Amino acid sequence: MARAAGLRAEAAHHGALYLRLLGAQVRSQATYRTALLLDALGTMLITAAEFAALALVLPRFGGLGGWSLGEIALLYGLAELAFVLMDLLFGGFDAPNLSAHVRAGSFSTFLLRPVPLVVQVFGSDFALRRVARIGLAAAVLGYGLIHTAHAWTFGDALLLTGSVLGMICFFGGLFVIGGTLTFWTVDSVEAMNVLTYGGRTLISYPMDIYGQWLRKTFTYVIPAAFLSYFPVLHILGRPLPDGLPPAAAFLSPLVGPLLLAAAFVFWRVGVRRYQGTGT
């Protein structure tokens, strides 16, 4: 009991430290409100233009691989919402951000402070401009929910919630892996962008429109198909590919945390091997 109480107190203390770091980030960025507003607007316009182009073109072809605009909006909104939330939480681990600290030598100061390293990295990059994208992603997801011919149930809501949480953990894990690699490479590894930003784009659309080798790679090698594609297929009453059982649609809350746990094991290895850059 005493140990459990101690762990709870320690977790509460670390949570308070994290919130204080976020507060400092927010106050710093809110100082220049016009710049923040323009930055947020520009970030929103990129996503809005991407989906608007799809919404304008797709009706002319009657769908995409048998998927209606509403069904694709469901996939797109899920992926965008999860990725933006992940980017808010794990932005400090993103390779370009972490590699800047490694190059400048400021990462070494993280190791000297009497604050857990992970808490510092989590609180080192909280971009307010990304918050605007949450509303836009929610709007796209809402469009998909309304324009999908399906009688929604509470079980469907739980399945989609688990899908979002799984994607947050999955892509957060990829951010942690990409950031850890900078301990050896100093600069970010571009191949990781294929898995993070490329993977997010890939699962925003029905995976059956891709070639067989790409679909199988992102199903059995990199299990991105389990994150949102399989859950949406299950909700729409469509069979899963390759004869997979319906239970595979419920694995997103398991796949994501497993990758995140493995990523933090790799992170601990990287931190132990970190020797600085001499700056």
Side-chain angles (χ1 to χ4, degrees):
M1 292 291 294
R3 179 174 175 79
L7 290 175
R8 287 195 297 269
E10 184 179 6
H13 176 64
H14 292 167
L17 288 174
Y18 173 66
L19 291 177
R20 291 185 67 179
L21 290 172
L22 291 192
Q25 292 269 328
V26 170
R27 289 192 298 272
S28 174
Q29 296 171 44
T31 302
Y32 303 98
R33 296 182 181 180
T34 302
L36 175 62
L37 180 62
L38 292 175
D39 201 6
L41 182 60
T43 303
M44 284 184 60
L45 287 176
I46 294 174
T47 302
E50 182 179 324
F51 183 76
L54 177 68
L56 290 173
V57 173
L58 194 62
R60 295 180 177 271
F61 298 93
L64 180 64
W67 289 65
S68 67
L69 177 60
E71 292 168 342
I72 294 176
L74 183 59
L75 277 174
Y76 189 98
L78 281 172
E80 178 68 10
L81 180 61
F83 198 87
V84 173
L85 290 173
M86 181 281 301
D87 210 4
L88 273 174
L89 293 172
F90 289 87
F93 290 92
D94 195 10
N97 294 326
L98 200 56
S99 66
H101 288 294
V102 172
R103 284 196 308 271
S106 54
F107 185 79
S108 298
T109 65
F110 288 174
L111 298 172
L112 298 174
R113 292 172 182 165
V115 178
L117 177 61
V118 170
V119 174
Q120 293 184 70
V121 178
F122 266 119
S124 65
D125 184 78
F126 184 82
L128 277 176
R129 68 179 183 275
R130 297 171 185 145
V131 174
R133 288 178 57 191
I134 295 177
L136 183 60
V140 174
L141 178 59
Y143 178 90
L145 294 173
I146 294 172
H147 291 85
T148 298
H150 177 73
W152 295 98
T153 66
F154 181 69
D156 296 334
L158 288 179
L159 182 56
L160 293 183
T161 301
S163 173
V164 171
L165 293 176
M167 283 189 282
I168 291 173
C169 292
F170 183 87
F171 287 107
L174 292 180
F175 265 33
V176 173
I177 292 172
T180 304
L181 289 174
T182 63
F183 295 151
W184 290 278
T185 63
V186 180
D187 288 321
S188 59
V189 179
E190 288 300 324
M192 289 303 302
N193 289 335
V194 176
L195 298 179
T196 53
Y197 297 97
R200 173 263 169 200
T201 301
L202 183 137
I203 65 173
S204 298
Y205 303 97
M207 294 196 69
D208 50 1
I209 68 174
Y210 305 117
Q212 184 178 20
W213 70 271
L214 186 61
R215 180 174 58 80
K216 288 186 178 296
T217 297
F218 280 87
T219 300
Y220 302 109
V221 180
I222 305 166
F226 291 86
L227 301 175
S228 60
Y229 180 57
F230 287 175
V232 171
L233 282 179
H234 179 80
I235 287 174
L236 297 178
R238 301 184 181 186
L240 271 59
D242 303 327
L244 289 171
F250 297 86
L251 294 180
S252 180
L254 178 63
V255 171
L258 282 176
L259 177 67
L260 182 59
F264 275 115
V265 171
F266 182 53
W267 165 264
R268 287 195 292 269
V269 173
V271 170
R272 286 197 297 267
R273 299 291 180 88
Y274 173 75
Q275 296 179 346
T277 58
T279 55

